[in-house]
Every structure is written in C-alpha cells, then in structure tokens.
Amino acid sequence: MNSRSCIAAFRQYRIASGRVCGPTRGFPLVQWARYSSASTEPFQPDSEGETTGAPSPQKHIKFTSELYPNIKRDTRFSQLDSRHVQYFKDLLGGGSAVIDGVSVDASADLEPFNSDWMRKYKGHTKLVIKPGSTEEMSKALKYCNDNMLAVVPQGGNSGLVGGSVPVYDEIVVSTSRINKIRSFDPIAGTLVVDAGCILESVDQFLADKGHIFPLDLGAKGSCQIGGNVATNAGGLRLLRYGSLHGNVLGLEVVLPDGTVMDDLTTLRKNNTGYDLKQLFIGGEGTLGIITGVSILCPQRSKAVNVAFFALESFEKVQDAYREAKHQLSEILSAFELMDGRSQDLVHDVTNKQRPLEGEHPFYCLIETSGSNAEHDKEKLDHFLEHVMSEDIVSDGTLADNESQMQALWSWREGIPECLGHWGGVYKYDVSIPLSDLYELVEDTRARLSSAGLVGDTNEHPVVAVVGYGHMGDSNLHLNVATRRFDKAVEEQLEPFVYEWIAKRSGSISAEHGLGLQKKPYIGYSRSETMIRLMKQVKNLFDPRGIMNPYKYI
C-alpha cells in the first residue's frame, strides 16, 4: 500500500468501522468526556463504575501526623476555641460559610476538607471558613494572624502532594464562595475572575465568547482558578499557550496580615518595578491567598483534529514528536504520550474496545487546533503520510467528529481514574529531558519487580508501573498503581525517584508543586542558595508563619 492509500486507511477505516466506541462487558463502563471533569488526576470510579467526585477506593486514611511522626505541631500556634469560632460566625454570617467542629461534632462535614481525593493525607481541622468576598478574606486572615491561628488555603482540593489539606488543626480557608466572573474584554481577550471560579465553568463562559482558557486539566470540573494559579498548574494546553507565569496578567492577593495586594491589572505590558505576582504563581498558599485573577485568554480554534497512533519504541515516539513540531508547528496543540501498560489497564477496567488493533509498546495522541479547516487538514495529511511512509508510526486512527475526539481522548484522560481501581496510586509528576523521559519508568519498574513487590496476587502490593504525560513540555507522569499504600513500596520509590531525576538535571515537580510530600526533597531540584532565598521571601510575607505550615520549604 502506498503512502496515499495509507492515509486513506488511517483517516477512514477504524473510525468508519466504529472501533473507537465498541461494546463493553465484564467491568462496568466508565464514561469520560473530553471536555468534562475526567481527571488529571481526581475522581476515581466507585463500585458502580461511576465518577461522581468520590475519593479513591482506598478505605482507611491514616492521619498525616501519624504517617509523618517527625512533623510536630508548631507550639507557637494557638489552640482553636469557641471564641474564635464565634468571631468567624459573626463575620461570615454562619450557615454554610462556617463548618464548626469545635462546638459540635461535625466530622462528616469536615471530612472532605480534612482529606485529599487520593485518600493519602488527612488532617485534624475542626473549623472550615468560607469568606464570600475579598474584604471578608482580609478580615479573616488578619484575625488569624493576630491570634496566631494557622490556616490552610483550599480551592478544589484536587492536588497530589498534600498541599491543600491540614496536617494538624489548621483552619481550612475555602475560596469556594468567592466565585464570580468580574469582567471580560472580547477585544483584548482579558478575563478577570474570582479565585473560587471552577475552571470548567470559566471555560464554558469563554466558549460562548469565542475564546478559550489557556489551561486545560482533567480535573476542570472541580478545580478552582485560584488553586490553579497557586500551584502553577500546567495541563494539556501548555504546549500551545504556555504556562500561567506568562498568561496571568495580574492578581489580587490577601496577605497574612490582612493587607490586600491589588495588582489586578489587565495590561500585557507593565514594566514598573518588581513583578510581585510571580511569587504567588506556584506559591501554594504559603505567602497569601489569591482572591482574584486577571488572565489572557486566546481565541478558541474553529478547526480541531485528533489523531491516535501506535509506535514500537520510545525512539519512534521522539521521532514522531520531532516531525509534529516541524510539520504541524503553529497548529499543534497537544502531543500526549501513553505507554502500552497504561492502555492495558484502561482496557482492563473499562473493557472498552481499543481504538487500534493489537497491543503496542507506546501510543501517542496528537491534537491540532487552527482557524482554517482546509489548511489544517492539508498539513495533517502531509504529516501522517510522512510518519507512516517512514515507518515511524505503525498504526493509527483519526477522529471525524466531536464524539470520536472525546472517545480517543478518554484513552489518555481515563488513565488516572483507572489506576485507582485497585486501591492507591503513587504519583510522580516530574520534568525530565526528553531523551531520558521514559527511562525512569523502566528503571522504576525494574526496581520494584526486583524487590518482589509487583505481581498479580494480593500479596504483591504493586499492580503496575506506568508512564504517560505531556511530550510537549517534557512532563512525565510516573504512576505506580497499588492494591494498598505500603511502606515497602515507598522505601523503594523514595528517594530513588528523586535521585534519578537529579542526576539528569530534571525537576521533581513539574505541575503539582511541593506540598507536604515533596518538601523534604526540594534540594534535588534547587540549590542551597535558591532555598535560602525562598525562605527569606516566606519570612518577609509571612513572618508569623501561619500560612500553610509544614509544607513547601
């Protein structure tokens, strides 16, 4: 078959034959929609195969203070009492704005705020407050600072490293009630929103205006804009639109002493002094709480294509990425990597029919986005013809419509949810030079296998070691799916993973920050000088240390 015939087969055969959405049997089918709240990371399927925002099936959660006995409660912090609770009720009006576990038993109501979605971290908070405005946030933080009450800022609580849940009895300060869209300029493409706005809702608002939010996450149905900025979230659109450090134009932040830092500019150029907002992008709530965000939002593409490939080696994956950058350039919006084992597990859990025949070591999903469908089709056809004629790609399929795009994307976005099917997942979201990217997965798999921890039976805690992620920004998701969280597994993983990354000048955190989990390991990615300067910044903004203690640095 010549290359032109290959393209015709690539474009028509598998989609036309309905292979993307085949019948299911065995395990319940878990449906994912490309533009809904399928996760990068949150929300595991429950026993009925549904993903309704429930936590991972890991049943018992140990307190973080038990898992990390070396972390002691800071004796400088005051003990919460009824006087403090009454102040917040008077300030915020009580009701749903204050969850009081000091005066009454509110364990069930406090549970979602005390624990993370992976069921790995759990705190002891007795109080959740939900300010409804920047003014209320300012008064609340000033009171906490004056009375030495430690706080934990919390948005959608969809992080991976324990950064948004308390360790001890810190007050959880939720931004969920600060959730209005303030303004949008359709000419400049500048959006101003409250920190508590849900990412998916904002993106839908922009879609009606012909624009798009420059960040796309699987957890978009629950994560909040403020939390996205505070963790410098990356996600699926970074290849095309860049990071939040470049797209955020201004911030409104309440500092620990209640001072409101109003830097909510909508200007793309403002070269007057230090760019202080950058300290809060990725600051993980350790310097202040973001209440407002101004961000640049590009035009929404009218022509979108999605292709799904099979490849026989990681070298072929790199070749495909190189050719995609060269030939698709300005219309390339995503290049996602999935290893064969990750796709096996998605198939095992959902029993969906695979989009391609047979099993392959690697798969890639490419998305293009542009304004001219004919132009984009011509470029994509040329690219597909080339990679097939050069034997870079061994098989593939191309979506013809929106539902088929969603179906193909589900094989990428469904990975995190399926990995949680057996119990717990150890997740490492890291940056590594592209040439070494997948070697970490292979070395970790070999290490755990040699230790006798990987197997098909219950005495083996590890189900599988998989790798997937964003080729476009050298971001690997190393995931270890387990039947249970196990100390023996952790001892094999840490600090091995971090040492491996440091030897290759990578970063131990690509997207989700440091939180509690990675705080001890920051030295693998940052020098002593950098860490010292960060601590000086922390002490300048938060001299009393009330903001998100025990984490970050």
Side-chain angles (χ1 to χ4, degrees):
M1 182 182 293
N2 61 37
S3 58
R4 292 280 178 194
S5 299
C6 286
I7 293 299
F10 197 104
R11 181 172 290 279
Q12 297 172 1
Y13 169 66
R14 301 206 192 286
I15 294 292
S17 64
R19 290 192 54 79
V20 169
C21 300
T24 62
R25 56 190 181 278
F27 286 107
L29 173 65
V30 180
Q31 295 283 357
W32 291 282
R34 168 71 181 94
Y35 299 108
S36 70
S37 59
S39 126
T40 313
E41 304 294 345
F43 308 155
Q44 313 293 353
D46 60 24
S47 60
E48 300 301 321
E50 300 295 328
T51 54
T52 56
S56 158
Q58 183 85 359
K59 298 299 182 184
H60 175 68
I61 321 173
K62 287 186 177 180
F63 285 109
T64 304
S65 56
E66 296 174 3
L67 291 172
Y68 297 85
N70 293 331
I71 300 177
K72 305 299 182 183
R73 186 184 185 279
D74 193 327
T75 56
R76 295 178 301 161
F77 298 142
S78 301
Q79 296 283 350
L80 196 64
D81 62 35
S82 58
R83 293 177 297 109
H84 302 133
V85 175
Q86 190 58 51
Y87 172 84
F88 292 116
K89 288 182 177 180
D90 292 341
L91 173 65
L92 306 178
S96 62
V98 178
I99 302 177
D100 173 16
V102 176
S103 307
V104 297
D105 182 7
S107 301
D109 292 332
L110 291 168
E111 177 66 19
F113 300 92
N114 255 325
S115 59
D116 70 317
W117 70 271
M118 291 193 305
R119 318 296 280 171
K120 188 175 181 181
Y121 301 100
K122 183 177 182 180
H124 300 267
T125 194
K126 295 292 185 181
L127 181 66
V128 175
I129 61 172
K130 304 175 185 178
S133 67
T134 301
E135 182 182 4
E136 288 184 353
M137 181 71 77
S138 173
K139 292 179 179 178
L141 280 191
K142 184 180 188 306
Y143 181 84
C144 290
N145 196 60
D146 290 346
N147 289 274
M148 280 302 290
L149 296 169
V151 302
V152 175
Q154 189 175 104
N157 198 16
S158 57
L160 298 180
V161 291
S164 59
V165 290
V167 176
Y168 284 99
D169 55 349
E170 305 89 84
I171 298 171
V172 171
V173 182
S174 170
T175 55
S176 61
R177 291 181 62 237
I178 307 177
N179 58 11
K180 293 181 175 57
I181 294 175
R182 302 191 189 183
S183 66
F184 177 67
D185 182 340
I187 298 175
T190 53
L191 173 74
V192 181
V193 295
D194 285 348
C197 290
I198 300 297
L199 175 57
E200 185 173 44
S201 299
V202 172
D203 197 47
Q204 289 172 347
F205 167 84
L206 289 168
D208 294 337
K209 312 290 185 183
H211 285 70
I212 192 170
F213 200 82
L215 173 70
D216 184 21
L217 301 174
K220 67 193 299 180
S222 58
C223 65
Q224 297 176 12
I225 302 298
N228 296 151
V229 174
T231 56
N232 189 27
L236 302 168
R237 291 177 181 161
L238 191 141
L239 173 63
R240 178 67 174 273
Y241 301 117
S243 75
L244 291 175
H245 277 294
N247 287 306
V248 171
L249 302 174
L251 292 177
E252 178 185 81
V253 183
V254 178
L255 302 181
D257 65 357
T259 299
V260 177
M261 189 192 86
D262 185 357
D263 187 29
L264 208 54
T265 177
T266 57
L267 300 175
R268 295 188 69 174
K269 288 185 175 182
N270 185 4
N271 201 16
T272 53
Y274 298 117
D275 191 4
L276 294 179
K277 71 175 181 292
Q278 300 294 346
L279 293 172
F280 300 92
I281 302 173
E284 299 184 44
T286 60
L287 304 179
I289 298 182
I290 297 170
T291 52
V293 177
S294 170
I295 191 165
L296 186 65
C297 300
Q299 288 282 139
R300 186 172 291 266
S301 299
K302 297 178 181 179
V304 179
N305 293 283
V306 174
F308 191 92
F309 309 141
L311 308 98
E312 299 308 311
S313 69
F314 187 65
E315 288 70 26
K316 298 283 188 183
V317 173
Q318 294 176 76
D319 290 341
Y321 178 55
R322 184 186 304 111
E323 292 301 325
K325 287 197 299 178
H326 175 65
Q327 298 191 36
L328 302 176
S329 57
E330 79 282 358
I331 64 170
L332 182 63
S333 54
F335 193 109
E336 297 294 301
L337 164 72
M338 300 84 72
D339 67 8
R341 190 69 177 114
S342 70
Q343 299 300 277
D344 292 342
L345 296 181
V346 173
H347 178 261
D348 290 346
V349 172
T350 67
N351 212 31
K352 295 192 300 183
Q353 192 164 356
R354 297 172 183 267
L356 302 176
E357 292 178 346
E359 298 178 13
H360 303 269
F362 294 95
Y363 298 87
C364 288
L365 184 149
I366 287 181
E367 180 186 82
T368 64
S369 304
S371 59
N372 188 314
E374 184 176 345
H375 167 267
D376 294 358
K377 178 182 178 298
E378 182 179 351
K379 289 178 73 77
L380 187 57
D381 281 351
H382 185 271
F383 166 74
L384 297 176
E385 179 180 351
H386 177 77
V387 294
M388 294 186 74
S389 63
E390 294 295 320
D391 293 326
I392 296 173
V393 169
S394 57
D395 198 0
T397 187
L398 186 64
D400 276 345
N401 55 51
E402 176 70 17
S403 64
Q404 292 170 0
M405 291 180 195
Q406 292 179 5
L408 290 177
W409 266 108
S410 75
W411 287 87
R412 162 60 179 88
E413 290 196 316
I415 297 172
E417 293 163 312
C418 289
L419 295 183
H421 178 82
W422 289 269
V425 185
Y426 291 97
K427 295 176 176 287
Y428 296 89
D429 195 324
V430 300
S431 290
I432 305 169
L434 271 180
S435 58
D436 300 324
L437 191 73
Y438 195 72
E439 187 181 346
L440 175 58
V441 181
E442 296 171 331
D443 289 353
T444 303
R445 186 181 292 141
R447 181 178 176 86
L448 293 175
S449 297
S450 297
L453 297 171
V454 184
D456 297 328
T457 54
N458 285 334
E459 60 264 25
H460 298 93
V462 177
V463 176
V465 179
V466 307
Y468 61 100
H470 319 301
M471 282 288 287
D473 42 62
S474 303
N475 181 188
L476 173 72
H477 302 309
L478 169 67
N479 281 200
V480 180
T482 67
R483 296 176 175 86
R484 56 192 174 275
F485 291 125
D486 191 295
K487 202 67 177 175
V489 177
E490 294 174 16
E491 290 172 353
Q492 291 295 321
L493 291 172
E494 298 174 9
F496 166 76
V497 169
Y498 303 128
E499 292 173 344
W500 192 102
I501 293 168
K503 289 177 182 177
R504 291 155 181 83
S505 300
S507 171
I508 65 170
S509 180
E511 291 187 317
H512 293 275
L514 295 167
L516 181 71
Q517 177 187 339
K518 295 184 178 181
K519 174 186 174 179
Y521 304 108
I522 186 175
Y524 288 103
S525 293
R526 294 292 193 178
S527 68
E528 291 183 6
T529 299
M530 292 293 291
I531 296 171
R532 184 177 70 253
L533 290 172
M534 290 180 195
K535 289 182 177 180
Q536 290 174 1
V537 171
K538 166 70 172 175
N539 291 335
L540 175 65
F541 280 89
D542 184 23
R544 309 197 82 182
I546 68 164
M547 299 300 302
N548 217 2
Y550 317 113
K551 303 162 189 170
Y552 202 66
I553 53 175

